[in-house]
Amino acid sequence: MRPQGNGLVELHDSKHKERGFTCMKLIELLTEDGVKDWDQWHGANLQAAGGNCPYSQSAPFINEP
């Protein structure tokens, strides 16, 4: 949970938005499979970020909330 400003002071990152999704286990599995194509990496990350990891059968814990 992100800290909330109290109105008296502004948090230094209050205008900072999340930049994306990263799953280290997904990176590890893609590397083990020898995936080098950007489109495959990007697609796998988009799927995992949406809750549909392409490796969910290999590592079912990836899709757990």
Side-chain angles (χ1 to χ4, degrees), residues 7-58:
L8 299 175
V9 295
E10 187 173 329
L11 300 175
H12 76 281
D13 65 345
S14 63
K15 292 185 173 83
H16 177 75
K17 294 189 179 202
E18 291 295 322
R19 296 177 87 131
F21 168 85
T22 302
C23 175
M24 294 307 293
K25 188 63 177 176
L26 177 60
I27 291 170
E28 181 182 318
L29 292 167
L30 287 167
T31 302
E32 286 176 4
D33 280 351
V35 177
K36 294 182 180 181
D37 182 63
W38 164 252
D39 290 329
Q40 289 178 332
W41 272 82
H42 187 62
N45 274 283
L46 289 176
Q47 284 180 298
N52 188 24
C53 180
Y55 288 92
S56 61
Q57 298 301 317
S58 305

